[in-house]
Every structure is written in C-alpha cells, then in structure tokens.
Amino acid sequence: MTTASIPATVGRFAATSDAFTPWHDARHWIGGAWRDPGTRRAVLEVHNPRHGKAMARVHLGGADDVDAAVRAGASAQRTWSEWPIRDRAHVLYRLREMMVRNIDELSWLVSHENGKIFSEAKAEVEKGIECVEYGCSLPNIAAGNQLEVSRGVACEVAYAPLGVVAGATPFNFPLMVPLWMLPQALVGGNAFVMKPSERVPLSTMRLAEMLKEAGLPDGIFNIVQGGREVVEALCDHPLVKAFGFVGSTKVAKAVYGRASMAGKRALCLGGAKNHLFVVPDADVEVTAENVVASFTGCAGQRCMAASVLLAVGDVDHILKAVRDRAAKMVPGKDIGPVTTQAARDRITGYVDAAEKAGARIVLDGRKAGADAGGYWVGPTIIDGCTPDMPAARDEIFGPVLSVVRVPTLEKAFEIEGANPYGNASSVYTTSGDIARRVMSRVEAGMCGVNIGVPVPREPFGFGGWNDSCFGAGNITGWDGYRFWTRQRKITSKWALQRDQNWMS
Ligand code: NAD
C-alpha cells in the first residue's frame, strides 16, 4: 500500500472538552514508525460514542503485518535484553513523567475514543501511571536470589526475558489495560507486539510515541491494528513466546486454547458477573454511594462493575437510597454513553426481557439521551429478578443493576457460587462476622468489604477466578513479572572438592 499519507508523528490530541474532535487514522507501529497494512483489508470507523460518529478510521492488519512486527521485535530484542534492568526501567521513569505532564491530553483522548466521562478517563490514566510506577520499581525487587547449597557450590536464580511477547486488549480501558502488561514485559527485557481493540486503537498510538520519546529503542514496542485475524496470527507465530489477553470470556477461552496449543505461555482474563451482598445492618449512605458508583461507573462497562445485588432479608430502606441516588445522575455529565449502538440495543434488550418475565424496572434508563445522538443508556435497576433470568445470569456490560431478593446469606452464597464467572464480589455490612463469612465463601478473585469496585491496587495483582481467568496467576504486580520472564538457574563451583559426592 502507499505510504504517502502516513504521518511521521501523530503528536498531541487537541481536544480540551467533549466537543467532537477528529484524529489521525489508526495504523500499525512497527520498528518505531507508522505503517499501513501490507495487504489492503477492511477499514473500520472509530466512533466517538458520545457523538455517535467517526473520529478516525482503523486499517485492519493480518498475518503479514504480525510477521513484520514480530520480526522487528526479534531483531531489536537481543540488544535491549543486554541493557541493565535499571536502564530499561529508566525508560519507564521518563514515560511516567510524560504521562503526568500530559495527563489531561491523554484523558481527553481516552474519553473521546471510549466515551467515558473526563473524570473517569483521568482515573484510568492515573491507574495506568501506577502500573508504570510498578515497572519502575522492578530493579529493586527483581534481584533473584542465591544460596550456597553445599560447601563451595552456589545456586543462583535470575529472571531472563522470553524474547518477543504479545497481548490483545478490550475496548473498555484503552490505555490502562495495555499498561497492565507493558511495564513488566518491557523491564523484563522483552519486545512487545500489542493488538489494541479495534474500537479504541488511538490511546495506544499516543503511548507508542511517548515510549519512543522516553528512549525505548525502535522495535521493542510494536502495534498491529486489527481484530480476530491479528490475534490468531499472534497466537500462531512461532517467535511469539507468551500471550496476554483481556476481553470477553468466550474469546479469552478460545485464545487461551489456541496460544497454549501453539506451545506458548498464556494468561487470558475474561468477562464477569459481579455479585454484591447487601444485608440489613449495612450503612445506608456508604452502601448507596458505593453500589451506585459501581454499577454506573464507566456506564457499567467495567469487568469490576456491580451487576447483581443480592438483597438479603429486608433491605428496602437501602434499595430506596440506591435508587434515589442513581436517579439523580445526568447522562452526559455523570455517566457516559456505551460503546456502540449494538451494545445499547443488547443492554436494553436485557431490560425488556426481564420486564416481560415479571421483574420490576424501578429505575429505567432505556430512553436516556434519546435526542442527543450517541449511544446512551441511563442507570437502570431491575428489582425482583430470579437467578435464572438472563439479566441476573449473563454479563450485560451496561449500567444495569439486577436485584435478586434472598431470605438468607446461605441462599445468596448458593446463587453467587452457581455463576460461572469469578471476577469480583463485595459485601455491605457493619458486622465483622458477616464480612468475614462472605469473604471466605465467595467464588471471586477480587473481593470487597463496603467497597463497590474492589480493584487490587499496585503492587497487588489483578486477576479473577473461574471463567473470568484462563491461565495461572494475576496479570499485574509480581505475577506479571513472573509471567513475562523465565527463571534461569545457575549452579557454580569454583574449587575441587574430592570428598564430596556428585551433587556437590
Ligand atoms: P472482546 O472479547 O470482544 O475483545 C477483546 C479483544 O479480542 C479485542 O482486541 C478484539 O479485537 C479481540 N477479539 C474479538 N473477537 C475475537 C476472536 N473471535 N478471536 C480473537 N480475538 C478476538 O471484548 P470487548 O468487548 O472489547 O471488551 C469487553 C469484555 O472484556 C467484557 O467481557 C469485560 O468483562 C472484559 N474485560 C475483562 C477484564 C478483566 O480484567 N477480566 C478487564 C477489562 C475487560
């Protein structure tokens, strides 16, 4: 394809408000330069969901582009791996400074391509910075260890890079989720090929240019734009040694299987259906504030969002406070749009079906923002769901709270435990005993007490259980470093020891 129209640099994103602002088309970043796909394929529009129109286009890649990116990574990686770990981490120090300095610009870019409101986008960038800071700290904690195992014989363990590694990310956190993977993988001495979501390919482009400016050698970070074809080519490529994935469960499971069958390490995080336990002794204000923030934040498009509220016993006074608080939220100001028209239709379809099946819609966001353009759904609460209703069972991924009434905690455990997902769960109570009982019984990897979104902050690792995670360990924190590196064990002896046996 012609390269005439490809910019040398995409530079800054100009928006400083919600006003519609177009940007550069999304292209591949290979060997430190923007590239068009080697073969002409589909070009998709990147919609600003608030305005419901295209702010850019994305040129989809394929196996030939994956091969070019992987080979660029392979030829640069040896030299990069020879940099001392501290020097590699210094690139992240400089990236961190740039991200802090340009936080508003990055937040506007995230907000425009994803739709989340500016304050949520800024929180995403802040969390991304925290992940970068974890990467900066690695030289202080990744020293490996050494022990004299017999007289004059020492065993040493060091962390070695894998080579070229890759990842694919979802639409809901365009900047943060890539930064769940990159700091550990890069400081670990690898080259990385990233495939961002084709719905939000722009923030990663800004990150690529910032990494270059921060001193990352060309070829160590590459982007191949696209969808399924690119993910599958990365899973199959013999030079890709590990694959990190974050997205829906169906795809996470398939990708885990494909990458594993190709002999790669894989860690694939999937979808969620998070249950909140509310008991009668819960603090009304704390519960209402946290439950509402949890199910409406990022328009419910978070894998940590509240989805089912298990109302244990008589908690009508708390449910009323939850409803009143959510009813005050203004679409466009307090809550952003959802990602696409199709997502909007899917979400409202769940609400329609629950209503038809006899549940009560006590707060109805189906008509929110109807005249405004864009893809809007307001906060919605469905009371009287039964556990077998799709609204109480499936991941809806929108600002919808399905309330299931249960007489006892035991019944609540039964419902939560029967759900195949296992990402997050929270309890709202003033009783330490109830908190401990719930925390020890729920089938979830990330649990909260009186908190709506129990995200483990760095250095604690992020990761779920059951159908929310395929592969071992967490994607962030120390587990992330272990995932993107391999251990080299060196046993040394520098003196003859005639009195010892073969193990010495
Ligand atoms: P998605 O699964 O549709 O897409 C994720 C990535 O996979 C994208 O890069 C996409 O291009 C690619 N992809 C899509 N179909 C594919 C296929 N058939 N084969 C190979 N690759 C494919 O997810 P999404 O809609 O972008 O994101 C929302 C989902 O991600 C939700 O289910 C949410 O719970 C989940 N999520 C999970 C976490 C977590 O930490 N567990 C975090 C964020 C989002």
Side-chain angles (χ1 to χ4, degrees), residues 168-173 176-177 180 195-199 226-229 231-232 245-252 254-255 268-272 301-304 339 395 397 421 423 446 462-464 468-469 475:
T169 52
F171 81 86
N172 62 329
F173 284 96
M176 181 189 77
V177 172
W180 282 357
K195 197 226 62 84
S197 165
E198 60 275 43
R199 255 179 275 159
R228 177 179 185 160
E229 200 180 329
V231 172
E232 293 184 346
F245 177 88
V246 181
S248 58
T249 286
K250 189 171 157 234
V251 181
V255 168
C268 301
L269 276 62
Q301 300 173 118
R302 287 191 289 199
C303 65
M304 297 294 283
T339 176
E395 179 175 46
F397 225 53
Y421 296 103
N423 219 38
M446 295 173 280
F462 188 102
S468 293
C469 185
I475 201 154

Side-chain angles (χ1 to χ4, degrees), residues 146-159:
Q146 200 244 28
L147 186 72
E148 186 180 39
V149 290
S150 303
R151 189 177 298 274
V153 177
C155 277
E156 180 192 343
V157 175
Y159 296 96

Side-chain angles (χ1 to χ4, degrees), residues 88-106:
R88 295 197 298 256
H90 281 166
V91 172
L92 293 192
Y93 276 68
R94 292 188 287 273
L95 173 68
R96 180 200 176 272
E97 289 313 301
M98 268 180 238
M99 289 181 72
V100 169
R101 224 173 26 248
N102 297 294
I103 191 162
D104 282 0
E105 182 220 340
L106 289 170

